[in-house]
Amino acid sequence: MHNVVVITTGGTISTKRTPQWSGAVPMLKGDDFSAMLPRGEFNVSFQDFTNLPSSHITPTMALDLAQRVNSQLLGEADGVVVTHGTDTLEESAFLCDLLIDSNKPVIFTGSMRIATDIGYDGVTNLTGAIRAAASPQTRGLGVMVAFNDRLFSAATVQKIDSQTVDAFDAPGFGPIGSLTGATVRIHHQPSGRHYIPCSRLAERVDLIYATQGADDRQLRAAIDTNSQGIVIAAFGGGRVPPWWLPTIQEALNKRIPVVVTTRCLKGICYDEYGYVGEYHDLKRLGVMFAQQLSPVKARIKLMVALGAAAHPQELRDWFAE
């Protein structure tokens, strides 16, 4: 029987309503989850990392979480499951994917309904995640997310629905596997994983969305407050308002790295236009492109890469197209 360690962090999966609070709050811990699981199927141990809504979790906390996960993988655990709030689950999972270099599976999961709701999906998702972590099928696939009987790569998964139990998908990529009862099936292998050895993060990285008619105040604020890096969620295939270009150039001149990705749900940065502010203008300025990463994941990757890079070229290599 495989040894699986479950690390709990809070989130909706751990919340319940009580008379003492006006709404549901994280309360359940490892012992509570253990009592809900099927008996005799797993050799599972639980560790409580924290008990917070994921809107309260910071990248630095996620770094500590990655180090805790890695310490378990270096021990006797055959796989690790992390329970996590869904709001920032994709960010924590991707940060762990960048920082952990192991063939052993790491599976994030959570729930959309609280433990005192009818139709609570926490037990189903947790059971599926443990089965995935114990399966030889998931070895060597990096960090994954198990949700609603589907498995996703941490690099491509996104929360796409704020309410339903089918809250996660991977636009443009789809799930890498499925969970049917006790059977784990892998449909395709994730590609293009990057391992970045890192023990600290650059925390002051700003994410700025290009919006119709927006001026450059957010870019200017990032420069003036000594941002360590800027991520731009650009229009379409990598375009920005033309009046942003001088400010982006100023940031680069001040050695503030600028990374560009698309604000679209899928697709890459590339176009063949010749007007001002298009992809080739940004490329000529010297920005880096986070191809096939959502804006929030591009920010996480830049935070990690800046924390690890010994020199500018090493940083650029991690964003090479």
Side-chain angles (χ1 to χ4, degrees):
M1 190 178 293
H2 294 282
N3 297 316
V4 176
V5 175
V6 178
I7 299 175
T8 68
T9 71
T12 299
I13 193 171
S14 73
T15 61
K16 58 188 297 187
R17 289 189 181 91
T18 67
Q20 291 83 13
W21 298 90
S22 59
V25 294
M27 296 182 67
L28 302 182
K29 296 185 177 181
D31 290 344
D32 303 302
F33 291 122
S34 180
M36 299 178 188
L37 293 174
R39 296 296 178 188
E41 185 178 346
F42 312 117
N43 185 13
V44 180
S45 60
F46 285 81
Q47 297 182 12
D48 297 319
F49 177 78
T50 189
N51 209 358
L52 292 173
S54 67
S55 56
H56 294 193
I57 289 178
T58 67
T60 300
M61 294 172 67
L63 172 65
D64 293 340
L65 175 63
Q67 292 168 344
R68 172 80 70 89
V69 171
N70 197 49
S71 70
Q72 296 304 310
L73 297 174
L74 293 173
E76 296 183 358
D78 296 304
V80 172
V81 170
V82 178
T83 63
H84 198 287
T86 60
D87 285 344
T88 64
L89 182 150
E90 64 198 79
E91 289 157 271
S92 292
F94 182 56
L95 188 146
C96 286
D97 195 44
L98 292 172
L99 296 181
I100 294 172
D101 185 24
S102 174
N103 284 326
K104 295 179 180 180
V106 177
I107 316 291
F108 275 68
T109 195
S111 75
M112 290 297 291
R113 293 175 179 163
I114 66 174
T116 46
D117 275 352
I118 295 173
Y120 173 57
D121 53 329
V123 176
T124 301
N125 287 340
L126 179 56
T127 302
I130 294 170
R131 286 170 174 161
S135 172
Q137 301 293 321
T138 56
R139 289 185 65 86
L141 300 183
V143 178
M144 290 159 279
V145 172
F147 221 91
N148 203 32
D149 294 331
R150 299 193 294 173
L151 279 172
F152 300 95
S153 166
T156 58
V157 71
Q158 297 184 49
K159 186 175 181 181
I160 61 163
D161 196 306
S162 66
Q163 301 297 325
T164 70
V165 296
D166 194 22
F168 286 88
D169 208 338
F173 298 90
I176 64 170
S178 60
L179 304 164
T180 307
T183 303
V184 178
R185 293 182 172 88
I186 300 301
H187 306 148
H188 64 268
Q189 304 278 326
S191 61
R193 287 190 65 220
H194 272 166
Y195 165 60
I196 303 178
C198 175
S199 59
R200 63 183 181 88
L201 302 176
E203 297 182 57
R204 297 194 316 277
V205 172
D206 294 300
L207 170 57
I208 300 171
Y209 269 73
T211 56
Q212 188 179 60
D215 61 26
D216 68 347
R217 282 177 297 164
Q218 293 184 71
L219 286 167
R220 171 63 50 203
I223 294 170
D224 292 345
T225 56
N226 299 314
S227 176
Q228 293 171 281
I230 298 170
V231 173
I232 295 174
F235 301 126
R239 297 178 285 280
V240 297
W243 49 89
W244 282 23
L245 294 179
T247 316
I248 293 171
Q249 182 68 76
E250 181 182 344
L252 293 169
N253 289 345
K254 292 184 175 180
R255 299 186 179 180
I256 301 173
V258 178
V259 170
V260 174
T261 189
T262 177
R263 70 177 199 175
C264 298
L265 283 178
K266 56 186 179 180
I268 64 170
C269 289
Y270 178 78
D271 64 39
E272 297 184 355
Y273 299 126
Y275 53 77
V276 179
E278 42 73 56
Y279 164 80
H280 292 285
D281 276 343
L282 292 173
K283 191 168 185 177
R284 280 191 289 269
L285 289 182
V287 308
M288 297 173 285
F289 292 93
Q291 301 290 24
Q292 298 186 327
L293 286 181
S294 68
V296 296
K297 288 181 185 163
R299 175 178 173 264
I300 290 293
K301 185 173 181 179
L302 183 54
M303 294 173 90
V304 171
L306 281 168
H311 48 77
Q313 187 55 50
E314 187 176 11
L315 177 66
R316 300 193 74 86
D317 288 344
W318 280 319
F319 285 93
E321 298 183 60

